[in-house]
């Protein structure tokens, strides 16, 4: 029987007890602040604090140069790592969020998130998190967290292909995979799940090298290595497959749509991503090898009138041989919603 979380706030003190800012006064103050903010996490500091003196103390704490984000989150990450021990399999989900600080005109160090047609800009910070879950979807905690200010991009798409992967913003997906792998016990199987932004050739390579099961929603209709059809792409290959089964998926309600049940046709196929599409050898692909992957396509053939069809095309390093394994890939992807 899992332990219940206590309402007295003692759980947060236990979770963050090892936080060390190399000063006893700061360590004690952090525990007080963490306890107060955990009671009302959706409120700003001045409202979540017990009084104005406590709020001022919290502001002084966060302004102290000895305090940084990594020291705050590190105890929680270590606690998460401990909670994964004993798990035969852990599902790890990655996702990015933007934090809008456009109304905070005096805040320094913000990055550009969006530019509108009239010239107005959204400024803020980016947050990339890696969340560990049990097979049943119970959150275990974060395994990594990265915050940065997005820089203005002046390079063209062609120039971006010449930039080393480690210098690109998208490298955060590979970092998240590496960080999670280091923190999990060697006997624990890791399944990593990401959305379309993580459809990156190098991420699949990394997952294969580290023996990690990876599930990513397709964004790029890549060219495949095929003996019979030159230039065959992923969607073309799926079109050659029969419908293996149908499955019903509940689409939760949102502000724009009502809850409904979608009936999806399921196809799957083994594919080989071409390391050098059409034989082109450029700096970006010179080191690549062809990758054997599996694709599971879930597609709604007859959506209700006025509704967009639900379509998921999932690419995975996990072998898919039958209906059961195809639906397991779908199950892993649905767990991404938790983050």
């Amino acid at each position: 029987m899992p332990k219940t979380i206590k309402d007295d706030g003692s759980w947060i003190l236990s979770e963050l007890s090892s936080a060390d800012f190399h000063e006893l006064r700061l360590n004690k103050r952090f525990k007080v602040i963490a306890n107060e903010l955990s009671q009302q996490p959706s409120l700003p500091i001045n409202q979540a604090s017990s009084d104005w003196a406590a709020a001022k103390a919290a502001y002084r704490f966060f302004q102290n140069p000895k305090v940084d984000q990594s020291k705050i989150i590190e105890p929680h990450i270590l606690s998460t790592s401990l909670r994964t021990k004993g798990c035969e399999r852990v599902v790890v989900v990655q996702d990015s969020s933007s934090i809008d600080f456009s109304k905070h005109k005096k805040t320094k160090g913000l990055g550009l998130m969006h530019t509108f047609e009239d010239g107005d800009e959204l400024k803020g910070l980016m947050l990339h998190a890696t969340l560990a879950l049990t097979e049943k979807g119970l959150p275990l905690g974060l395994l990594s967290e990265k915050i940065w200010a997005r820089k203005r991009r002046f390079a063209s798409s062609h120039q971006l292909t010449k930039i080393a992967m480690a210098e690109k913003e998208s490298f955060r997906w590979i970092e998240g995979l590496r960080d999670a792998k280091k923190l999990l016990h060697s006997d624990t199987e890791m399944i990593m799940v990401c959305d379309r932004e993580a459809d990156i050739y190098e991420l699949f390579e990394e997952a294969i090298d580290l023996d990690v099961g990876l599930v990513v929603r397709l964004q790029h209709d890549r060219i495949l290595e095929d003996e019979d059809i030159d230039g065959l792409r992923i969607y073309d290959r799926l079109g050659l497959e029969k419908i293996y089964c149908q499955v019903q998926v509940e689409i939760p309600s949102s502000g724009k749509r009502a809850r409904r049940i979608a009936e999806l046709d399921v196809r799957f196929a083994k594919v080989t991503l071409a390391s050098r599409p059409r034989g082109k050898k450029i700096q970006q692909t010179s080191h690549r090898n062809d990758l054997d992957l599996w694709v599971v396509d879930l597609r709604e053939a007859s959506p209700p009138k006025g509704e967009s069809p639900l379509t998921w095309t999932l690419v995975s390093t996990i072998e898919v041989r039958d209906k059961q394994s195809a639906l397991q890939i779908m199950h892993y992807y649905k767990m991404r919603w938790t983050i």
Side-chain angles (χ1 to χ4, degrees), residues 168-232:
K168 296 181 180 180
E169 186 179 278
S170 55
F171 187 65
R172 66 189 186 275
W173 301 97
I174 296 176
E175 287 181 307
L177 188 150
R178 290 177 179 175
D179 290 342
K181 182 67 174 179
K182 290 177 183 176
L183 288 165
L184 294 186
H185 193 270
S186 58
D187 292 336
T188 302
E189 180 185 358
M190 184 171 104
I191 307 295
M192 177 154 282
V193 183
C194 310
D195 208 11
R196 284 176 286 197
E197 195 177 350
D199 183 8
I200 303 167
Y201 198 98
E202 289 80 1
L203 182 62
F204 287 105
E205 286 183 314
E206 190 76 20
I208 292 171
D209 289 343
L210 296 181
D211 193 26
V212 170
L214 178 64
V215 178
V216 176
R217 189 175 177 186
L218 180 72
Q219 177 168 279
H220 307 294
D221 189 13
R222 301 180 187 275
I223 294 178
L224 304 177
E225 189 67 34
D226 190 276
E227 295 180 357
D228 301 318
I229 306 176
D230 184 42
L232 183 71

Side-chain angles (χ1 to χ4, degrees), residues 111-161:
L112 177 65
M113 297 193 302
H114 183 73
T115 302
F116 296 99
E117 293 182 359
D118 60 4
D120 284 348
E121 297 179 340
L122 283 182
K123 293 184 177 180
L125 298 173
M126 297 299 298
L127 165 66
H128 189 76
T130 304
L131 176 68
L133 309 167
T134 66
E135 279 193 276
K136 294 184 177 180
L138 177 67
L140 297 171
L142 295 178
L143 290 171
S144 69
E145 181 181 78
K146 181 178 182 180
I147 300 174
W148 74 98
R150 177 172 280 168
K151 298 179 181 179
R152 293 178 183 270
R153 194 181 80 177
F154 297 103
S156 65
S157 298
H158 176 69
Q159 291 172 324
L160 285 174
T161 62

Side-chain angles (χ1 to χ4, degrees), residues 5 80 126 163 165 230 262 285 295 313 317:
I5 294 177
T80 301
M126 297 299 298
I163 299 175
M165 187 66 207
D230 184 42
T285 63
V295 182
T313 303
T317 61

